[in-house]
Amino acid sequence: MIPRIQKRGKRTIGLLSYLYGPGKFEEHTDPHLVASWDHNNAPDPGRDDAATLKQLQQLLDQPVENVDQAERPKRHVWHLSVRNGPDDRILTDEEWGDVARRMVAAAGIDAPEEDAGCRWAAVRHADDHIHIVATLVREDGYKPDLNFDAKRVQDEARKLEAELGLRRLNKGDGTAAKRPTSAERHKAQRQGRERTAREELRETVRRAVAGAAGETEFFDRLAAAGLLIRKRVAPSGDLLGYKVALPDDRNKDDEPVFYPGARLAPDLSLPRIRERWCADHPDRLPSTDTPGRATPDNPSAARRRTASAAWTAITIVEHGDDSVAAAHIAATGEVLDALAKTSAAHTRHQLRDAAAAFERASRSHIRAERGHDRALRQAARDLVHGGPALGRGEDGATTAMAIDMLFFLITAAMHWHAKKGHAQQAEAARQAAEHLRSAYQAAAVHPLGTLYQRGRRLGPPLVQRQTSMLRQALPELAEQILAEPGWYALAATLADAEAAGHDPATLLAGAAERRELDTADSVADVLVWRLRRTADLPADTRDTANDAHPAERSPHPAGQRTPGRSGHRRG
């Protein structure tokens, strides 16, 4: 149940005309009263032919007219809509009437115990919602106390959901981005858009912010994305703010409809964006890639850096100070936006959905202490400057590696929000993790399948030695790993690590000490990416003639099914 207090108005008759009218798109059906201030005895222009809108308006406005003009509120019309979800059952008129009475009492509009509340009426013109219109002068001439009315009606909605058997919504904390209005949604439908202009602009601005180093780069990205930009400049020449618009989104006067950044999301105002830039270190972070194989400005190198930054950030989110953890969670949103922007076609949809879902999880009332999140912001910058990734080879494999690490980072963010009581943010992170799970499966199937085939070709003596080493290094997990199809991919990775001069047992033990293995769908898959990242092994796992020593190959590779499962824990 979603109660939403609308802007206060000046004309009661205007709002009543809309509520009892056909609607902007003929969507209103059978408008009628379900409750009112005088125990349902108010005139109902919807079902009483003798009643008129003017009569109802005059009765509602009577307490306002009874006070001196100077004492009247400038905007005396209060408007609340209460809507159920599409999966909720249809309430009866009696139930909606009780909802209306509970809402006006909770808001402070009505005061039944004092017999001196405001006059109000609840109109139903659809199955799933009602509108409540009230005038803001009480019967005794005083004005109602509407401090925190929005919070109070939200609290009442949570109680009503439980009592009426409706879907229980998570309690908000006021940090969510503003939802599109009904007018914006209808406009998008008329124009054949899947999303409203507000939603398109919010995503475009988020992506422009991701990893941007300053105002010039930020505004250049907005312009490159095709947005119209208006800057608010002080007489001194200082930039105070900005607005953006889609070129084809216009009002009745054929003028572009501009949205300030703060109206798109709380953290997209210019002052909040500047907080990220002010805290950034001017120097780039050192690359984690091996010289000669990848440069910091190519897609695979950027994804390796992303995986490393995400891996480090997990511990900070789990054990760091709240303000520092909040900064890393916010920066994770930038990384997701940058990864989605540069992803290959087969992972793009799920990564975009993950970024969109996580947007809600990136904000809370715990203010982020920027500066500690430089590594993640640099990773986002590297992703953008590295450019779009191909779906195969090193790019594809490092994409799977990055998604794998980001999955666990977002899972850590979900647990952090849950511990803080941030129910909406925790749910948003959970949804983002599910989209990442799907993206990972699409990204990982080819590189893990190639590693699997290489592992099946390893000679029996080498496999036997690796099996023994696995049992010694991870005695509690060894049998589970050996039973997984991913074991062969892990065996190939251990062989690569040993060939590169590493001690595979030490690497394996170190990788297994880090979280989440006990709840992984495939422990082997998770260990593959941890080892390849830690040992700086090529993620490009193409089966070449030099993949293994001839003596280590089996002459007749087994034709078992290649693994396609995610290595992520179940959420």
Side-chain angles (χ1 to χ4, degrees), residues 5-44:
I5 296 175
Q6 312 291 340
K7 286 184 178 180
R8 296 182 187 180
K10 296 180 179 180
R11 297 181 64 248
T12 307
I13 190 67
L15 178 55
L16 291 175
S17 298
Y18 168 73
L19 297 180
Y20 276 98
K24 295 181 179 179
F25 307 96
E26 304 292 332
E27 73 274 20
H28 295 174
T29 59
D30 186 24
H32 60 280
L33 282 183
V34 293
S36 65
W37 80 97
D38 65 345
H39 308 289
N40 295 6
N41 291 322
D44 184 3

Coordinates of all heavy atoms in Angstrom, one line a residue, residues 5-44:
I5 N 1.4 11.9 -0.5 CA 0.8 13.2 -0.3 C 1.2 14.1 -1.5 O 2.4 14.2 -1.8 CB 1.3 13.8 1.0 CG1 0.8 13.0 2.2 CG2 0.8 15.3 1.1 CD1 1.3 13.4 3.5
Q6 N 0.3 14.6 -2.2 CA 0.5 15.5 -3.4 C 0.8 16.9 -2.9 O 0.6 17.3 -1.8 CB -0.7 15.4 -4.3 CG -1.2 14.0 -4.6 CD -0.2 13.1 -5.4 OE1 0.7 13.7 -6.1 NE2 -0.3 11.8 -5.4
K7 N 1.1 17.7 -3.9 CA 1.3 19.2 -3.6 C 0.0 19.8 -3.2 O -1.1 19.4 -3.7 CB 1.8 19.9 -4.9 CG 3.2 19.6 -5.3 CD 3.6 20.5 -6.5 CE 5.1 20.3 -6.8 NZ 5.5 21.1 -8.0
R8 N 0.1 20.7 -2.2 CA -1.1 21.4 -1.8 C -1.6 22.3 -2.9 O -0.9 22.9 -3.6 CB -0.9 22.1 -0.5 CG -0.5 21.2 0.7 CD -0.3 22.0 2.0 NE 0.2 21.1 3.0 CZ 0.5 21.5 4.3 NH1 0.3 22.7 4.6 NH2 0.9 20.6 5.1
G9 N -3.0 22.5 -2.9 CA -3.6 23.3 -3.9 C -4.4 24.5 -3.4 O -4.6 24.6 -2.2
K10 N -4.9 25.3 -4.3 CA -5.7 26.4 -4.0 C -7.2 26.3 -4.3 O -8.0 27.0 -3.7 CB -5.2 27.7 -4.7 CG -3.8 28.1 -4.3 CD -3.3 29.3 -5.2 CE -1.9 29.7 -4.8 NZ -1.5 30.9 -5.6
R11 N -7.5 25.3 -5.2 CA -8.9 25.2 -5.7 C -9.5 23.8 -5.4 O -9.1 22.9 -6.0 CB -9.0 25.5 -7.2 CG -8.5 26.9 -7.6 CD -8.6 27.2 -9.1 NE -10.0 27.1 -9.5 CZ -10.5 26.1 -10.3 NH1 -9.7 25.1 -10.7 NH2 -11.7 26.1 -10.7
T12 N -10.4 23.8 -4.4 CA -11.0 22.5 -4.1 C -11.8 22.0 -5.3 O -11.8 20.8 -5.6 CB -11.9 22.7 -2.9 OG1 -11.1 23.3 -1.8 CG2 -12.4 21.3 -2.4
I13 N -12.5 22.9 -6.0 CA -13.4 22.5 -7.1 C -12.6 21.9 -8.2 O -13.0 21.0 -8.9 CB -14.2 23.7 -7.6 CG1 -15.3 23.2 -8.5 CG2 -13.3 24.8 -8.2 CD1 -16.4 22.4 -7.9
G14 N -11.4 22.4 -8.4 CA -10.5 21.9 -9.5 C -10.1 20.4 -9.2 O -10.2 19.6 -10.1
L15 N -9.8 20.1 -8.0 CA -9.4 18.7 -7.7 C -10.6 17.8 -7.7 O -10.5 16.7 -8.3 CB -8.7 18.7 -6.3 CG -8.3 17.3 -5.8 CD1 -7.4 16.6 -6.8 CD2 -7.7 17.4 -4.4
L16 N -11.7 18.3 -7.2 CA -12.9 17.4 -7.3 C -13.3 17.2 -8.7 O -13.8 16.0 -9.1 CB -14.1 18.1 -6.6 CG -13.9 18.2 -5.0 CD1 -15.1 19.0 -4.5 CD2 -13.9 16.8 -4.4
S17 N -13.2 18.2 -9.6 CA -13.6 18.0 -11.0 C -12.7 16.9 -11.6 O -13.2 16.1 -12.5 CB -13.4 19.3 -11.8 OG -14.3 20.3 -11.3
Y18 N -11.4 16.9 -11.3 CA -10.5 15.8 -11.8 C -10.9 14.4 -11.2 O -11.0 13.5 -12.0 CB -9.1 16.1 -11.4 CG -8.2 15.0 -11.7 CD1 -7.8 14.6 -13.0 CD2 -7.6 14.2 -10.6 CE1 -7.0 13.5 -13.2 CE2 -6.8 13.1 -10.9 CZ -6.5 12.8 -12.2 OH -5.7 11.7 -12.4
L19 N -11.1 14.4 -9.9 CA -11.4 13.1 -9.3 C -12.7 12.5 -9.8 O -12.8 11.3 -9.9 CB -11.5 13.2 -7.8 CG -10.2 13.7 -7.1 CD1 -10.3 13.8 -5.6 CD2 -9.0 12.7 -7.4
Y20 N -13.7 13.3 -10.0 CA -15.0 12.8 -10.5 C -15.1 12.8 -12.0 O -16.1 12.3 -12.6 CB -16.1 13.7 -9.9 CG -16.6 13.3 -8.5 CD1 -16.1 13.9 -7.4 CD2 -17.4 12.2 -8.4 CE1 -16.5 13.5 -6.1 CE2 -17.8 11.8 -7.1 CZ -17.4 12.5 -6.0 OH -17.7 12.1 -4.7
G21 N -14.1 13.3 -12.7 CA -14.1 13.4 -14.1 C -13.6 12.1 -14.8 O -13.3 11.1 -14.1
P22 N -13.5 12.0 -16.1 CA -13.1 10.8 -16.8 C -11.6 10.5 -16.7 O -11.2 9.4 -17.0 CB -13.5 11.1 -18.2 CG -13.4 12.6 -18.4 CD -13.8 13.1 -17.0
G23 N -10.9 11.4 -16.2 CA -9.4 11.3 -16.2 C -8.8 11.7 -17.5 O -9.5 12.0 -18.5
K24 N -7.5 11.9 -17.5 CA -6.8 12.4 -18.6 C -6.9 11.4 -19.8 O -6.7 11.8 -21.0 CB -5.4 12.7 -18.3 CG -5.2 13.8 -17.3 CD -3.7 14.1 -17.0 CE -3.6 15.3 -16.0 NZ -2.2 15.6 -15.7
F25 N -7.0 10.1 -19.5 CA -7.0 9.1 -20.5 C -8.2 8.2 -20.4 O -8.1 7.0 -20.7 CB -5.7 8.3 -20.5 CG -4.5 9.2 -20.5 CD1 -3.9 9.5 -19.3 CD2 -4.0 9.6 -21.7 CE1 -2.7 10.3 -19.3 CE2 -2.9 10.4 -21.7 CZ -2.2 10.8 -20.5
E26 N -9.3 8.7 -19.9 CA -10.6 8.0 -19.7 C -10.4 6.8 -18.8 O -11.0 5.8 -19.0 CB -11.1 7.5 -21.1 CG -11.4 8.6 -22.1 CD -12.5 9.5 -21.7 OE1 -13.4 9.1 -21.0 OE2 -12.5 10.7 -22.1
E27 N -9.5 6.9 -17.9 CA -9.2 5.8 -17.0 C -10.0 5.7 -15.7 O -10.0 4.7 -15.0 CB -7.7 5.8 -16.6 CG -7.3 6.9 -15.6 CD -7.0 8.3 -16.2 OE1 -7.4 8.5 -17.4 OE2 -6.3 9.1 -15.6
H28 N -10.8 6.8 -15.4 CA -11.6 6.8 -14.2 C -12.9 6.1 -14.5 O -13.6 6.5 -15.5 CB -11.9 8.3 -13.8 CG -10.6 9.0 -13.3 ND1 -10.6 10.3 -13.0 CD2 -9.3 8.6 -13.2 CE1 -9.4 10.7 -12.6 NE2 -8.6 9.6 -12.8
T29 N -13.3 5.2 -13.7 CA -14.5 4.5 -13.8 C -15.3 4.6 -12.5 O -14.8 4.4 -11.4 CB -14.3 3.0 -14.2 OG1 -13.5 2.4 -13.1 CG2 -13.6 2.9 -15.5
D30 N -16.6 4.9 -12.6 CA -17.5 4.9 -11.5 C -17.0 5.7 -10.3 O -16.8 5.2 -9.2 CB -17.9 3.5 -11.0 CG -18.9 3.4 -9.9 OD1 -19.7 4.4 -9.9 OD2 -19.0 2.5 -9.2
P31 N -16.7 7.0 -10.5 CA -16.2 7.8 -9.3 C -17.3 7.9 -8.3 O -18.4 8.3 -8.6 CB -15.8 9.1 -10.0 CG -15.8 8.9 -11.4 CD -16.7 7.8 -11.7
H32 N -16.9 7.7 -7.0 CA -17.9 7.8 -5.9 C -17.2 7.9 -4.6 O -16.1 7.5 -4.4 CB -18.9 6.6 -5.9 CG -18.2 5.3 -5.7 ND1 -17.5 4.6 -6.7 CD2 -18.0 4.5 -4.6 CE1 -17.0 3.5 -6.3 NE2 -17.3 3.4 -5.0
L33 N -18.0 8.4 -3.6 CA -17.4 8.6 -2.3 C -17.4 7.2 -1.6 O -18.3 6.4 -1.7 CB -18.3 9.5 -1.4 CG -18.1 11.0 -1.6 CD1 -19.0 11.8 -0.6 CD2 -16.7 11.5 -1.4
V34 N -16.4 7.0 -0.8 CA -16.3 5.8 0.1 C -16.3 6.2 1.5 O -16.5 5.3 2.4 CB -15.1 4.9 -0.3 CG1 -15.3 4.3 -1.6 CG2 -13.8 5.6 -0.2
A35 N -16.0 7.5 1.8 CA -16.0 7.9 3.2 C -15.9 9.5 3.2 O -15.4 10.0 2.2 CB -14.8 7.3 4.0
S36 N -16.3 10.1 4.3 CA -16.1 11.5 4.4 C -16.2 11.9 5.9 O -16.3 11.1 6.8 CB -17.3 12.2 3.7 OG -18.5 12.0 4.3
W37 N -16.0 13.2 6.2 CA -15.8 13.7 7.5 C -17.1 13.6 8.3 O -17.1 13.5 9.5 CB -15.4 15.2 7.5 CG -16.5 16.2 7.2 CD1 -17.2 16.9 8.1 CD2 -17.1 16.5 5.9 NE1 -18.2 17.7 7.5 CE2 -18.1 17.5 6.1 CE3 -16.8 16.1 4.6 CZ2 -18.8 18.0 5.1 CZ3 -17.5 16.7 3.6 CH2 -18.5 17.6 3.8
D38 N -18.3 13.6 7.6 CA -19.6 13.5 8.3 C -20.2 12.2 8.3 O -21.4 12.1 8.0 CB -20.5 14.6 7.8 CG -20.9 14.4 6.3 OD1 -20.2 13.5 5.7 OD2 -21.8 15.0 5.9
H39 N -19.4 11.1 8.4 CA -19.9 9.7 8.5 C -20.7 9.4 7.2 O -21.8 8.8 7.3 CB -20.8 9.5 9.7 CG -20.1 10.0 11.0 ND1 -19.1 9.3 11.5 CD2 -20.3 11.1 11.8 CE1 -18.6 9.9 12.6 NE2 -19.4 11.0 12.8
N40 N -20.1 9.7 6.1 CA -20.6 9.3 4.7 C -21.9 10.0 4.4 O -22.7 9.6 3.5 CB -20.8 7.8 4.6 CG -19.5 7.0 4.7 OD1 -18.5 7.6 5.0 ND2 -19.6 5.7 4.5
N41 N -22.3 11.1 5.0 CA -23.5 11.9 4.7 C -23.2 13.0 3.7 O -24.1 13.8 3.4 CB -24.1 12.4 5.9 CG -24.7 11.3 6.8 OD1 -25.3 10.3 6.2 ND2 -24.6 11.4 8.1
A42 N -22.0 13.2 3.3 CA -21.7 14.3 2.3 C -22.3 14.0 1.0 O -22.5 12.8 0.6 CB -20.2 14.4 2.2
P43 N -22.6 15.0 0.2 CA -23.2 14.7 -1.1 C -22.2 14.0 -2.0 O -21.0 14.3 -2.0 CB -23.5 16.1 -1.6 CG -22.7 17.1 -0.8 CD -22.5 16.4 0.5
D44 N -22.7 13.1 -2.8 CA -21.8 12.3 -3.7 C -22.2 12.5 -5.1 O -23.1 11.9 -5.6 CB -21.9 10.8 -3.3 CG -21.0 9.9 -4.2 OD1 -20.2 10.5 -4.9 OD2 -21.0 8.7 -4.0

